[in-house]
Amino acid sequence: MFTALNAANAYSNARSAIAPDRDAAPGVVQKIGSAAEEFSRQMQQVDISATEAMTGTGDTHQLVQTIAEAQLAMETVVAVRNKVVEAYQEILRMPV
């Protein structure tokens, strides 16, 4: 039989699972942030190389190389996103 006290205790115990403490895993949060910053820098480099190639001041070989690197980075980000969505969907399917 559930009482208000039991429900409050259960909520208190489950609270860390709902909103995990950022101090518990600072390395993971920092790695995710640095990966996002690196992805952003990669996309900015593509823009710079494309602009230089269009204006005639850049090397087309550099443009092709930058686009290939950006494509690999984008495929990696999409694969990670797909895994996160898949994990979230698995969590939603769990019986309560």
Side-chain angles (χ1 to χ4, degrees), residues 11 16 32-33 43 51 53-54 60 62 68 71 75 81 84 92:
Y11 175 75
S16 63
I32 291 172
M43 293 300 126
T51 302
M54 286 186 274
T60 55
Q62 178 67 28
Q71 181 180 4
E75 289 172 358
R81 182 209 51 154
V84 169
L92 289 178

Side-chain angles (χ1 to χ4, degrees), residues 8 10 21-22 26 34-35 45-46 50 52-53 71 75 79 87 89-90:
D21 186 16
R22 287 186 168 224
S34 65
Q45 185 61 38
V46 170
E52 289 176 352
Q71 181 180 4
E75 289 172 358
Q89 289 173 343
E90 286 294 320

Side-chain angles (χ1 to χ4, degrees), residues 2 5 7-10 12-13 18 23-24 26 28 31 33 36 46 50 52-53 55 64 72-73 78 87-88 90 96:
F2 285 105
L5 183 60
N9 286 335
S12 177
N13 291 337
I18 295 169
D23 296 332
V28 173
K31 286 179 183 178
V46 170
E52 289 176 352
T55 59
V64 171
L72 181 61
V78 169
Y88 179 73
E90 286 294 320
V96 178

Side-chain angles (χ1 to χ4, degrees), residues 21-76:
D21 186 16
R22 287 186 168 224
D23 296 332
V28 173
V29 173
Q30 186 178 19
K31 286 179 183 178
I32 291 172
S34 65
E37 289 173 2
E38 180 62 32
F39 178 74
S40 176
R41 278 195 293 273
Q42 183 68 38
M43 293 300 126
Q44 288 174 352
Q45 185 61 38
V46 170
D47 289 342
I48 292 168
S49 295
T51 302
E52 289 176 352
M54 286 186 274
T55 59
T57 60
D59 184 22
T60 55
H61 176 70
Q62 178 67 28
L63 175 63
V64 171
Q65 182 179 358
T66 306
I67 290 173
E69 291 172 0
Q71 181 180 4
L72 181 61
M74 182 64 76
E75 289 172 358
T76 303

